Amino acid sequence: MRIVIDMQGAQTGSRFRGIGRYTMALTRAIVRQRAEHEIILLLNGMLHETIVPIQDAFRDLMPKNKIRIWNALAPVYTDDIKNATRRNIAEAIREEYIDRLKPDILLITSFFEGFGDNAVHSIRDCDYGRSDALVASIFYDVIPLIQKEIYLDPNPHFQKPYYKKIEQLKKADLLLSISESSRTEAIEYLDFLPERVVNISSAVDDTFRPTVFTNEETCRFKARLGIRDRFIMYSGATDDRKNHIGLISSYALLPEAMRAVYQLVLVGGLPEEHKYRFEQHIKKCGLSDGDVVITGRVSDQDLLHAYNVCDLYVFPSWHEGFGLPALEAMSCGAPVIGANTTSVPEVIGFDRALFDPYSPRSIADKIQEVLTDPGLLAELKAHALVHSVKFSWDESAKRSIEAMETLASARSSVVSSMDVQNSAKAQGVLLQKIALQIAGSKEFDLLGLAQTMARNLSGVKSQLLVDVSELVLRDSHTGIQRVVRSILNEWLANPPENFDLRLVYANNVHIGYRYANSFTRRFLGQLSTQGESLGDHLDEDLSIDFGYGDVFVALDMQHEVQIFQHPFYQHMRAHGVDVRFVIYDLLPVTMPQYFPANTGENHALWLAGIVNVDGVVCISQAVAEEFGNWLVQNANDQSCRPAIDWFHLGADIENSVPTRGLHGNFEYVIKKIKSSFSFIMVGTLEPRKGYAEVLDAFNMLFDKGLICNLVLVGRVGWGMDDLVKNLRLHPESGHRLLWLESISDEYLEEVYEASTCLIAASYGEGFGLPLIEAAKHKLPILARDIPIFREVAGEHAFYFKADQSVELAQAIESWLDMYQNGQHPKSEHMPWLTWEKSAAQLLHALKQPAHNEMKSNEVKVAH
C-alpha cells in the first residue's frame, strides 16, 4: 500500500503548537512501523522555510527521494479575498500532483490550515482520472463549530472558509481521531459513520521524561523566567477555551499564605493583546506584582525543566481534542490536575484529580486540596509516571496503519485501480481549470505561475549538477583539481545513465550557480568525438534550473565560494535537490600547524556548512572516520548530521587529462635516475609533506658515502623558503639531489618508471595518490606509518615511524638492505583503481539514499 502523508500540519504556524508536535511524532512513528508499505511525505513548497528541517528530521528513517514537494504561486491564504484565484489554482495543482503520485491512501495531518498562511487543502475537488485514491485525515476537534458563538459568529472572514473546510472534510473516507472525545465529536457534529472514525489516541515526545537538574541549573532557570521559588504551572495556547482567566481567578481565591509560597506561572507564546488582557485581569483580582508570571515562548529545554520542577500542573481547559500539555507534564512526573470535560479525563486518568473548569472555586479547592495533602500529592506523582507510559506514538501509528489497511481492503474488494492513462491528459485537465480561473484577468502573474509549476514536473532524467567553481575561476593546479579533471574526464566521456550531467559554478559575489557551459565546451575539446557531441546543445552560462530528483555535488573545493553559497544549498534542498560534498581531507583543522594562518579557521567554517547538507563522500575511509569524529564534537544537532560515504581515487595518469611535454634536460635526468638507487617524493613542497626531514636524512646518508639519489617532484607551496634555499644551494643539486619543480604528467610517468622507491613521508594526507601511482609502476613504497597510507597500501609497503631525521635515515638503510636481498614489501600486487572505476564508485555513492550511518560495502574495495 502506498501512503502519501500531507505534512502541512508541521509547516504552518501549527508547527509551534500541539498539532505540529503531533504531526511530526505520529508521522515518524508511521514511518518506523510501515513494514512493507511505501510511505511518501508531501510538503508544500510555498512554506519553504519548513522543508529542510522536516527533511532533516526524517533523514534517519527514510530516503530523501520519498519526500516530495509541490509548488504553487503564493500568496493563497484565505484572509484576503484577492488570493481566491491563486488559492483555487493551488488546490488544483496540489490535487493533480497527488494524483501523479498514485497513492492508495492520502493521509492529511491537519485539514484546518490556511487561515493566515499558505497551506492548501481540498478533497476531490478535481478529477484527474483516479477514482480509487482514499483520503484519511487526522481529526483533532471541531471546537469552532461547537462553540461558534465564540469562534465563528464574531469572525465572518473566518466563518465562510471554515464552513467550506467542514463540507470538504465530510468527503474523507476515514478520520483518525486523537481521542475518544474527538471521535464522538466527529460522529455527532459531522455525521460520520462510527466505523469511519477510529481513535488512535496520542502520546508525547521522548524528550519529556523525568530529568534531574542541579540546584545551580534550576536557580538559573527560575531567575531567567522570573520565578521566585515554588510554583503552580500551566502551559499551552492562550485562546479563550484554554481558560487562563478562570485559572487566574481561581489562583486569586487561594489563601494569601499559599500564594506567598506558590507563584502561578503561565508558560507559552501568546499575542500581545492576550498578555495585556491577562495582566489587566491579574490587577482586577487584586494580585500583587510577581504573583503571576507570564513567560512568553520558551525553549523545549526550558519547558522540560518547568515540567520537572513545578509543584503542581493545572490544566483548566473547557474543551480539548486531547490535551497534550497535560500528558507532557505527567510524562515528566509532575502531579497534574485538570478539567472534567471532553478529553482531559482520558489523558489524566485519575478521578480525584478532576475539577469543574467553569467554576474558579472548584479549581481553587482542588489546587488547595492537592498542595495541602502530601499523600494525595505523592499519589498523583506516582500515577503520572504509570499512566503516561500507556500512551505511545508507535501504538498510535499501528492503529493508524491498521485502520488504513482495513479501509483499503474493504475498498479494493469492490473498486479496481484506475490509473491515469497518461500524464498529458491529467496536465490538460489542470491547464483547462487554470485557464478558466484566470480568464479575463490582465494582472495575473502568468510567468510566476509557470515557473512554480515547472518545479512540479519531473523530467525523464534528473540533473547531476557538478560544482567545478575552482576550475572555472582559476584552476589552482593542486591535487584536488587533478582529481576533479580525472572524474570529469570519465563522466563527460561516458555520461552517467539516468542523469543529465551539467557542470556548474558560482562566485562569492552573487548567490546562485550558473551552468558552466563555456568551460564544458573547452574541456570537451580534450575528449573524444563522443564527448564533444554532448556539448553541441550547450548555450551561454545561464542561471541553473533545479528541482526534485536533482543531485548537486561539490566535486571541486573552493572555500570562499562554497562558504558564501551556503544559503543557496539550503534553497536547493528545500526544492528537493540532494546536496552532497566531496571531502578531500580535514588536515587544516586536525593539523593546523602545517598550514598558513587562518587556513584552519577557514576550513572549519567550510566544514560547518557541510553539516547542513544531505551527505558527504570522502576520498578514503580514513577521512570518512575523521569527519565522523569531527561531527560528534562539532555538530549541534546530531540527528541531522549528513550521511557519510567514501570512495578511492584512480591511479592511471594517462586517463586523468594528463599534461604533456618532455622539456628541459629530460634525457639527462632519466639517465641520472637510472644510474643508481633513486628515491622519489611526489607532491607540493609544504611543511606537512616531510620534505625537510627527508632531505636531512639523505644528507646523513650522503655523508656516509651511500650511493643513491633523491628526486623531488613538486612545485613550491607555502612556508618552504628555507628548504628551497637549501635545495638551490645544495652541493649535490643536479647530481645526487634532483628537484623537478614543474614537469608534465607525461614526464612524471617516466620518472616513476626509472626510479627505485617512492618515499611518502607526509604527516597527514586525505588519500596518498602517489602510492597507487607508484604501485601501478610496480615501484616499491617506503611510507610513514599513518592510517591513510595503511588503508591505501596495506601490506604492500614498508612503514617507518621516525620522529627525527636520524631515525628516518636508519629506516632507509634498513629498507635498502631488504631490497638488495629481495625481501622488501612489493607493491606490484597492491590493489588500485582506474579513474573509470573511481568515477563509478563516486557515482554509486551519489545515487545512494542519504542516511546518517557511514556506508562501507563491496563496491568500495579498491580493485
Side-chain angles (χ1 to χ4, degrees), residues 6 8 70 87-96 98 106 108 111 113 119-126 128 135 164-165 168-169 171-172 433:
D6 185 310
Q8 291 180 88
W70 65 273
R87 186 171 190 83
N88 291 336
I89 291 173
E91 289 177 355
I93 288 173
R94 173 182 170 274
E95 286 202 28
E96 188 272 339
I98 292 170
L106 169 68
I108 299 171
F111 193 73
E113 303 289 344
V120 173
H121 288 107
S122 59
I123 299 177
R124 299 192 184 101
D125 272 7
C126 307
Y128 296 105
V135 178
K164 180 182 178 181
K165 288 275 192 184
Q168 287 182 326
L169 185 59
K171 297 179 184 179
K433 186 174 181 67

Side-chain angles (χ1 to χ4, degrees), residues 654-681:
E654 65 272 16
N655 289 318
S656 63
V657 195
T659 54
R660 300 292 182 183
L662 303 175
H663 55 77
N665 56 348
F666 165 73
E667 293 182 357
Y668 168 79
V669 169
I670 296 301
K671 183 179 180 180
K672 184 67 178 175
I673 293 174
K674 289 181 177 180
S675 68
S676 182
F677 298 122
S678 294
F679 295 81
I680 68 166
M681 296 182 69

